[in-house]
Amino acid sequence: MAKKGTTQKGNAPDKSGEGSQASSNDKYVNELRIMIDKLNPGDYTEGAFPTILEWFNNLEKFSTEIVDGGLTYGKLMRNNFVKLHYRELLPIFQELCFEIKKRDADIFHLKLSLAESEHSLLKAKIWTLERENIALRAKIVTNTDLSETIKELLPKLEEFKNSNTQVLKEQLPTIIKDATCPDIKSTLEIVNREIVAEVKKNRVEARSFAQVALQNKDKRQGPPSLLTPKDPEGILLIKPKSDALRDFEANRKIFLDILQANSPGARLRGVVTIFGGGVKFIAASPDDITVIKETLMEHGEKETLEKFDFITPNRRSPQFILYNVPKEIGESELKVGLMAKNITLADGNNKPHFKIEFSIPARDSRFNHWVLSINPKKYDDFKNKEGLYFHFSRLRLSEFISVKQCKKCFAFGHTTKGCDPANKQLCDKCGEVKEENHRCRGKIA
């Protein structure tokens, strides 16, 4: 083996002075870096390309540090690759798959709507032609009756002609009109009403993907039916003000006894516990729960009622998320910019139909996602947009559904701020209490 700085016998030195070392470096060039430089933004979606590029740059940086450090591939390095890079790749795939599924669902919905609309239109045309045929037949019958009427009038016409030709000319149009026009007008009105009623009866409304899926599921049970929105339930929350009243069964008995004594006909769908020993009453409608609340407030003892809070929660407004808003854009600037480029987001008095709630950091540190609460009456308008114009770009918009989960006890329905102070911090991997000497038994990625 030749020493560094020398060449083997029979091998002439490279003219550039690098020798065989240069060819060795060319053999192990950074192919990952070359691949990243060749990535074309046009091959990916606008929202996915920054995330994919960031992931590959982080992978190249991490692998270069390993190569420079002279580390060999082992269990530790494998786990680091999974934790720092491969795990971050899964959300990218999931988001792309979600976009594909959403696109397929939209295509299926459009195809079904077009097919059903065309079928309904053909049925309406056939029905219209049949009714026109009936109307023409009615006109033929009317003309026949008119002919018979004229025959009956001929003797009178001869008599009028002999007596006074001028009187005949004046009365003839009136006689014909009185004999024929009422029947024709009545027949046409009846036919038109029947056509309108039949078209309305056979009109097929556009259905969502969920309705189509439900229809296919229930084919064996009978003819399909369109989904109808359910009426809102009435909710009453009774929360104790002190820790001494945390016994749910005792609290439940207090208020049910008041209802039994003063309003035994009150109907409840359920009585369940809530955080802190409180009671949740569920009725069929907001009006029913209002009557129940008034009964409790009127007939309950004042000292008892003062120990509890009576809350009737408002219905939550639908929310949408606006993706990839530049990080330097604030709430007020975002609101003004959206209303300036999207005139349908406000009413005639320039009052917005939406409210900006809060922001969520995006994967790309240059952007934030913003959550908007919208007027329920404008839900369909926002859902159909799928994007809003802001400055000189169009930002993607989709429905936002969030679930409250505590990061302390990991229960759903409340956040860490509202968690019981007596609860201890749990481990997010194994679920055991996370104490000072805690040893996690969860799986290590």
Side-chain angles (χ1 to χ4, degrees), residues 316 319-327 329 334 356-372 398-403 407:
R316 185 177 180 182
Q319 292 182 332
F320 285 80
I321 183 170
L322 193 64
Y323 293 97
N324 296 329
V325 180
K327 199 167 188 178
I329 300 299
L334 177 61
I356 299 177
E357 297 291 350
F358 56 88
S359 63
I360 302 174
R363 290 194 184 97
D364 191 337
S365 59
R366 299 174 298 171
F367 301 99
N368 282 334
H369 305 324
W370 282 88
V371 176
L372 314 176
S398 65
E399 190 172 4
F400 178 76
I401 301 175
S402 61
V403 179
K407 294 184 179 179

Side-chain angles (χ1 to χ4, degrees), residues 44-98:
Y44 307 90
T45 61
E46 182 179 354
F49 178 74
T51 304
I52 295 174
L53 182 61
E54 180 184 5
W55 185 88
F56 274 107
N57 284 329
N58 292 335
L59 177 62
E60 193 276 334
K61 181 180 178 181
F62 179 75
S63 60
T64 301
E65 292 175 354
I66 291 176
V67 172
D68 294 340
L71 301 178
T72 58
Y73 189 81
K75 294 181 179 179
L76 180 60
M77 187 183 301
R78 177 195 62 192
N79 293 341
N80 288 336
F81 264 109
V82 173
K83 291 179 180 178
L84 300 178
H85 299 284
Y86 297 154
R87 184 179 295 169
E88 297 296 328
L89 188 60
L90 291 179
I92 299 176
F93 291 158
Q94 292 172 355
E95 184 174 358
L96 294 176
C97 292
F98 171 78

